């Protein structure tokens, strides 16, 4: 913080604090007068909405933890007690349960916004990478949280997913044993998952801090993807975007509240209201909806890869699935380098827009088949060959990776962009700054 002269604050207490620790000067610089592109659309609300959800999850989670018991003998009952006997316990639980889904909704829209408007591109690569790290941490946190109520899906979900670690040669089994604290999912698993589920949100807060710090170094991207050049391209963050963000959060909360109050279990699985039973495997084990596309990728690999004409297997189908699943997130990390097209926004890149929207459709298809049992027959190709949901997942997985590894690099070289406006001001007014006076 610069030690240069500054206008004193009118409020005596604020001035007293600020002259000793320039907290208010910093807030004013970063959130008051912070120059922000004036052409933001509602997609730019989702960072603030994600932030709101993070706080909501932490506050409701801490309160739930005051009543929850992380012991396999009583975990399920302690959750039922929260629902029936704790004052407003049902509300707390429904806020937290549905909050996880709405947090993912906000973050998926936030990621899509970043992809569509090219916010991952230079100079915002690190900001994007912090985002991907947050996403990974969110997934780990949500996965462990789902185990805590100790219902059938909690238990079997944890069993299936932690079992995938055994696919890694040499260290796999030890990693799995360390993760679940024994040779099968049990009380030690529940204890360590509870501890980590409590810890990770605070790690997320730390990475969000770095994320927003990096954002304030580069400044925000905007729908036209052009950097602000003059003062007329920007507005002070307050009151314009504090108001717009508050409005966005309000609309989001209304939809969130409709779920909490009128359909609180719509996004969950009924089997999780059955206490965990290691002796009874559910007919169909599925993760929460926000994991389904990745679950479909995990199950898409059905054959071992080995040396042709020998019995030697190099990558088992199980390991291949796990590698692809992690790869589907890891590929996001290198997206800024796979797409080196000089134009950021999809507004001026029709081909990129087409392939990106197709990518979104494909992710939805993956989500759909991820939620279905494997190998559901769809139609006959020939009399003996049946096209199944696994084939759909395989084709969709190929496009998922081809979008990043083939489409983006090729488009970076060959796509001819539409004319890009000279400035943000021009993009919103359709008017070069010179025509302002004549309007
Ligand atoms: C806890 C989760 C997250 C929070 C609280 C969060 C918060 C924010 C906030 C407050 C902003 C500025 C406002 C805005 O542009 O919407 C922002 C911008 C951004 N975030 Fe996130 N974020 C989260 C997750 C992610 C993820 C998972 C990604 C990508 C994988 C990501 C990528 C970006 C990018 C690229 C920007 C810059 C946008 C621009 O300038 O156009 N964020 N984030």
């Amino acid at each position: 913080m610069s030690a240069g002269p500054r206008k004193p604050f009118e409020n005596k207490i604020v001035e007293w604090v600020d002259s000793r620790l320039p907290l208010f000067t910093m807030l004013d610089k970063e959130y008051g007068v912070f120059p922000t592109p004036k052409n933001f659309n509602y997609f730019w609300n989702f960072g603030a909405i994600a932030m709101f959800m993070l706080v909501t999850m932490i506050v409701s989670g801490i309160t739930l933890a005051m009543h929850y018991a992380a012991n396999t003998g009583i975990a399920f009952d302690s959750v039922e007690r929260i629902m029936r006997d704790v004052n407003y316990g049902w509300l707390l639980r429904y806020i937290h349960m549905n909050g996880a889904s709405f947090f993912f909704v906000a973050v998926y829209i936030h990621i899509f916004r970043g992809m569509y408007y090219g916010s991952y591109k230079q100079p915002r690569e690190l900001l994007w990478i912090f985002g991907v790290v947050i996403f990974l941490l969110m997934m780990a946190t949500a996965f462990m949280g789902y185990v805590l109520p100790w219902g059938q899906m909690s238990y079997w979900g944890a069993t299936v997913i932690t079992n995938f670690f055994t696919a890694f040669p040499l260290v796999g089994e030890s990693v799995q044993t360390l993760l679940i604290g024994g040779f099968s999912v049990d009380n030690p698993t529940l204890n360590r998952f509870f501890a980590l589920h409590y810890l990770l949100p605070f790690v997320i807060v730390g990475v969000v801090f770095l994320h927003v710090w990096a954002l304030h170094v580069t400044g925000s991207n905007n729908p036209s993807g052009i950097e602000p050049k003059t003062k007329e391209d920007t507005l002070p963050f307050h009151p314009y975007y504090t108001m717009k963000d508050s409005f966005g959060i309000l609309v989001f909360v209304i939809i969130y509240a409709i779920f909490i109050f009128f359909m609180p279990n719509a996004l969950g699985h009924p089997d999780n209201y059955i206490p965990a039973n290691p002796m009874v495997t559910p007919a169909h084990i599925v993760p929460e909806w926000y994991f389904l596309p990745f679950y479909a990728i995990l199950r898409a690999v059905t054959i071992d890869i080995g040396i042709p004409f020998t019995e030697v297997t190099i990558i088992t189908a199980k390991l291949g699935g796990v590698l692809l699943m992690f790869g589907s997130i890891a590929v996001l990390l290198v997206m800024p380098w796979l797409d080196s097209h000089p134009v950021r926004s999809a507004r001026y890149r029709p081909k990129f827009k087409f392939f990106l929207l197709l990518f979104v459709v494909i992710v939805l298809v993956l989500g759909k088949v991820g939620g279905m049992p494997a190998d559901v027959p769809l139609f006959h190709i020939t009399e003996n060959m049946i096209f199944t949901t696994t084939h759909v997942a395989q084709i969709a997985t190929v496009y998922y990776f081809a979008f990043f590894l083939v489409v983006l690099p090729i488009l970076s070289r060959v796509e001819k962009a539409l004319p890009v406006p000279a400035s943000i001001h021009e993009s919103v007014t359709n008017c070069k700054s010179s025509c302002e006076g004549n309007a």
Side-chain angles (χ1 to χ4, degrees), residues 260-432:
I260 294 171
F261 291 104
F262 297 105
M263 40 214 265
N265 292 303
L267 300 169
H269 197 292
D271 278 11
N272 228 27
Y273 280 100
I274 305 169
N277 184 350
M279 307 302 282
V280 179
T281 316
H284 179 206
I285 302 171
V286 269
E288 293 281 82
W289 70 264
Y290 37 81
F291 290 134
L292 292 177
F294 305 101
Y295 192 53
I297 292 176
L298 178 79
R299 292 190 307 178
V301 185
T302 48
I303 47 165
D304 295 340
I305 299 169
I307 300 172
F309 312 113
T310 67
E311 298 275 295
V312 182
T313 300
I314 301 173
I315 299 178
T316 59
K318 188 169 161 185
L319 180 59
V322 175
L323 291 177
L324 277 196
M325 185 184 69
F326 284 118
S328 65
I329 314 269
V331 74
L332 286 170
L333 291 169
V334 286
M335 192 177 178
W337 294 275
L338 294 171
D339 176 9
S340 57
H341 198 284
V343 172
R344 282 203 193 104
S345 174
R347 269 190 187 172
Y348 312 110
R349 297 185 59 192
K351 293 196 178 70
F352 170 70
K353 187 196 290 189
F354 169 80
F355 285 107
L356 178 63
L357 295 180
L358 181 60
F359 173 78
V360 174
V361 173
I362 290 294
V363 171
L364 295 176
V365 168
L366 280 169
K368 177 76 191 153
V369 291
M372 295 166 79
D375 284 329
V376 175
L378 296 175
F379 55 86
H380 279 270
I381 305 175
T382 63
E383 211 178 319
N384 299 324
M385 261 184 84
I386 302 173
F387 194 75
T388 67
T389 44
T390 303
H391 295 121
V392 177
Q394 287 167 341
I395 295 168
T397 302
V398 169
Y399 182 77
Y400 184 102
F401 284 96
F403 171 74
F404 291 102
L405 303 174
V406 181
V407 174
L408 289 184
I410 292 181
L411 286 188
S412 302
R413 279 165 192 81
V414 303
E415 183 169 18
K416 205 169 165 312
L418 301 175
V420 177
S423 68
I424 293 176
H425 180 72
E426 189 189 314
S427 78
V428 281
T429 58
N430 234 345
C431 182
K432 312 230 181 288

Side-chain angles (χ1 to χ4, degrees), residues 40 43-48 50-52 54 103 107 110-111 113-114 117 119-120 124 127-128 130-135 138 204 208 211-212 215 219-222 245 332:
F40 276 2
F43 273 121
W44 264 261
N45 282 149
F46 284 90
M51 204 98 98
F52 173 83
L54 180 59
F103 194 3
V107 166
H110 188 67
I111 296 175
R113 184 282 311 265
Y117 295 108
S119 301
Y120 50 86
R124 298 183 182 79
L127 163 63
W128 173 259
F130 283 136
V132 180
V133 173
I134 294 171
F135 183 43
M138 279 176 66
I204 295 178
V208 167
H211 186 66
V212 176
L215 176 80
S220 286
N221 183 31
N222 62 82
D245 279 346
L332 286 170

Side-chain angles (χ1 to χ4, degrees), residues 92-347:
L92 264 179
R93 177 159 187 242
Y94 284 154
I95 286 175
H96 200 75
M97 238 169 84
N98 286 281
S101 284
F102 275 79
F103 194 3
F104 274 96
V105 168
V107 166
Y108 280 136
I109 298 175
H110 188 67
I111 296 175
F112 170 72
R113 184 282 311 265
M115 292 172 100
Y116 189 89
Y117 295 108
S119 301
Y120 50 86
K121 290 192 179 188
Q122 196 265 339
R124 298 183 182 79
E125 303 95 323
L126 193 57
L127 163 63
W128 173 259
I129 290 171
F130 283 136
V132 180
V133 173
I134 294 171
F135 183 43
L136 273 170
L137 288 168
M138 279 176 66
M139 288 176 126
T141 310
F143 166 65
M144 293 192 220
Y146 195 55
V147 178
L148 303 185
W150 208 244
Q152 273 290 69
M153 273 307 153
S154 306
Y155 178 85
W156 289 98
T159 302
V160 169
I161 298 300
T162 54
N163 181 267
F164 278 105
F165 283 91
T166 61
F168 289 100
L170 304 174
V171 291
E173 297 220 353
S174 315
V175 170
Q176 188 217 22
T177 310
L178 187 70
L179 195 67
I180 64 178
F183 299 108
S184 67
V185 170
D186 208 329
N187 203 46
T189 321
L190 186 60
N191 273 296
R192 58 193 62 196
F193 278 21
F194 180 51
L196 292 174
H197 182 70
Y198 207 132
L199 170 75
L200 286 185
F202 297 97
V203 179
I204 295 178
V205 169
V207 188
V208 167
F209 179 79
L210 296 175
H211 186 66
V212 176
W213 185 2
L215 176 80
H216 280 228
V217 172
T218 59
S220 286
N221 183 31
N222 62 82
S224 68
I226 321 164
E227 295 295 337
K229 292 184 190 95
T230 61
K231 253 190 126 187
E232 66 182 359
D233 289 338
T234 61
L235 289 170
F237 191 85
H238 181 75
Y240 296 97
Y241 290 116
T242 38
M243 275 299 132
K244 190 165 177 169
D245 279 346
S246 309
F247 175 71
I249 291 173
L250 185 71
V251 173
F252 191 83
V253 167
I254 290 173
I255 303 169
Y256 176 27
I258 291 173
F259 274 79
I260 294 171
F261 291 104
F262 297 105
M263 40 214 265
N265 292 303
L267 300 169
H269 197 292
D271 278 11
N272 228 27
Y273 280 100
I274 305 169
N277 184 350
M279 307 302 282
V280 179
T281 316
H284 179 206
I285 302 171
V286 269
E288 293 281 82
W289 70 264
Y290 37 81
F291 290 134
L292 292 177
F294 305 101
Y295 192 53
I297 292 176
L298 178 79
R299 292 190 307 178
V301 185
T302 48
I303 47 165
D304 295 340
I305 299 169
I307 300 172
F309 312 113
T310 67
E311 298 275 295
V312 182
T313 300
I314 301 173
I315 299 178
T316 59
K318 188 169 161 185
L319 180 59
V322 175
L323 291 177
L324 277 196
M325 185 184 69
F326 284 118
S328 65
I329 314 269
V331 74
L332 286 170
L333 291 169
V334 286
M335 192 177 178
W337 294 275
L338 294 171
D339 176 9
S340 57
H341 198 284
V343 172
R344 282 203 193 104
S345 174
R347 269 190 187 172

Side-chain angles (χ1 to χ4, degrees), residues 11-73:
N11 184 308
K12 291 259 170 2
I13 300 175
V14 170
E15 177 55 27
W16 185 89
V17 174
D18 203 76
S19 55
R20 284 153 184 85
L21 177 73
L23 195 64
F24 294 97
T25 302
M26 194 265 286
L27 280 178
D28 189 45
K29 183 166 163 262
E30 301 298 333
Y31 288 101
V33 297
F34 190 70
T36 314
K38 70 177 177 188
N39 58 341
F40 276 2
N41 56 29
Y42 283 108
F43 273 121
W44 264 261
N45 282 149
F46 284 90
I49 292 173
M51 204 98 98
F52 173 83
M53 287 313 302
L54 180 59
V55 174
T56 305
M57 293 305 282
I58 291 180
V59 173
S60 57
I62 291 178
T63 325
L64 281 172
M66 293 172 188
H67 304 279
Y68 171 77
N71 179 294
T72 51

